[in-house]
Amino acid sequence: MLESLLTAVELTGAEFLLLTVIVIVAGIVRGFSGFALSAIVMASAVIILPPVQLIPICWWLEMSASILMAKGGWAEADRGIVWGLVIGSTIGVPFGLMLTTTVSPETSKLLALAVIITLAITQLAKIRLPFLATKPGLYGSGVAAGVVTGIASVGGMVIAIYVLSQNATAAKMRAALVLFLFISSLTSMITLLYFNVMDGTAVARGLALAIPTTFGVVLGQRLFNPTFAPYYKPFCLTLLCGLALASLTRTVMA
């Protein structure tokens, strides 16, 4: 049975085991922070597979996590903001995928890691961009999220930066982030199919890794402690920077 699974996902046993560990850790982070699942997977697993193969895998992982975390999100989230971000993201994803599928695998790795590190540092520095609170800022954030989704499947990190520009309550904006990730995943599937990135192998890998990801998300939700809430995001972003820098160094020196 294991042999059949490895054949379907076109991975060695060691590669599949490492990916399983990575998605469990990423799921735990998503469970208590609400974001960074795909970012951690991309930053860590890019040494195994190129971004163009990781992006469709991350689609399945994000969808699995979003289904678990979207309960109540529609009622709590600002639907106007969510739809504005989704519309922008739908426009941006094809441009990001076009870039990812036209450059070499090595270049796409460097590009994806550079995007992740830049976004993580921006959030760690708590840089607030007031213009994002405007209508053009809303749609612009959505487009930017779509572009980086097509490059590195990290649109949620752009939306997290957008969230910083808002005066809404943390719970309300967290709900908007979770709901955005769910709805934008549905719209991005069309683009993934159009670019032939979501093929049979990608589906097999995504479904196989969705199970340990779900376990990680549930575990992360159970481990969440409101007392330590202020420390979760800095910890996750620091971890993300470290993983991305390590992968970037390995890629450059390879």
Side-chain angles (χ1 to χ4, degrees):
M1 182 176 179
L2 178 59
E3 194 66 35
S4 299
L5 174 63
L6 295 177
T7 299
V9 298
E10 296 184 11
L11 295 168
T12 66
E15 289 173 337
F16 185 74
L17 177 60
L18 181 55
L19 282 173
T20 299
V21 173
I22 288 172
V23 300
I24 290 175
V25 173
I28 292 173
V29 172
R30 175 68 186 274
F32 62 65
S33 71
F35 78 110
L37 190 160
S38 292
I40 288 180
V41 172
M42 186 68 68
S44 308
V46 74
I47 62 175
I48 302 173
L49 296 170
V52 71
Q53 293 184 39
L54 287 173
I55 289 171
I57 294 175
C58 287
W59 185 94
W60 289 99
L61 307 188
E62 288 288 358
M63 180 57 69
S64 300
S66 294
I67 290 174
L68 286 176
M69 301 181 70
K71 183 180 180 180
W74 186 255
E76 296 177 23
D78 186 320
R79 282 169 277 182
I81 286 178
V82 171
W83 282 116
L85 294 172
V86 169
I87 291 170
S89 177
T90 302
I91 295 172
V93 170
F95 292 97
L97 268 178
M98 190 181 303
L99 180 60
T100 300
T101 54
T102 53
V103 301
S104 68
E106 289 304 308
T107 300
S108 67
K109 286 182 184 180
L110 295 175
L111 182 59
L113 292 170
V115 167
I116 291 171
I117 292 170
T118 300
L119 291 174
I121 291 175
T122 300
Q123 290 190 59
L124 274 172
K126 296 183 179 179
I127 296 175
R128 295 176 65 92
L129 303 173
F131 74 90
L132 293 182
T134 64
K135 187 68 71 173
L138 169 65
Y139 290 101
S141 297
V143 171
V147 171
V148 299
T149 293
I151 293 173
S153 198
V154 292
M157 295 186 70
V158 172
I159 303 307
I161 294 174
Y162 171 81
V163 165
L164 287 176
S165 70
Q166 307 300 304
N167 294 320
T169 64
K172 188 173 183 179
M173 294 313 298
R174 176 185 169 92
L177 175 59
V178 171
L179 195 57
F180 163 78
L181 291 171
F182 177 69
I183 299 176
S184 63
S185 292
L186 296 175
T187 60
S188 64
M189 171 59 92
I190 299 172
T191 307
L192 293 174
L193 291 171
Y194 178 79
F195 278 86
N196 201 30
V197 172
M198 187 66 77
D199 56 16
T201 301
V203 172
R205 290 169 174 171
L207 290 175
L209 293 171
I211 297 174
T213 299
T214 301
F215 169 76
V217 172
V218 173
L219 182 58
Q221 289 177 312
R222 291 183 178 275
L223 291 174
F224 178 80
N225 186 330
T227 304
F228 301 109
Y231 307 104
Y232 286 142
K233 188 173 182 179
F235 169 77
C236 295
L237 292 172
T238 302
L239 172 64
L240 185 55
C241 278
L243 292 171
L245 284 170
S247 295
L248 183 62
T249 301
R250 180 167 179 170
T251 300
V252 171
M253 296 181 65

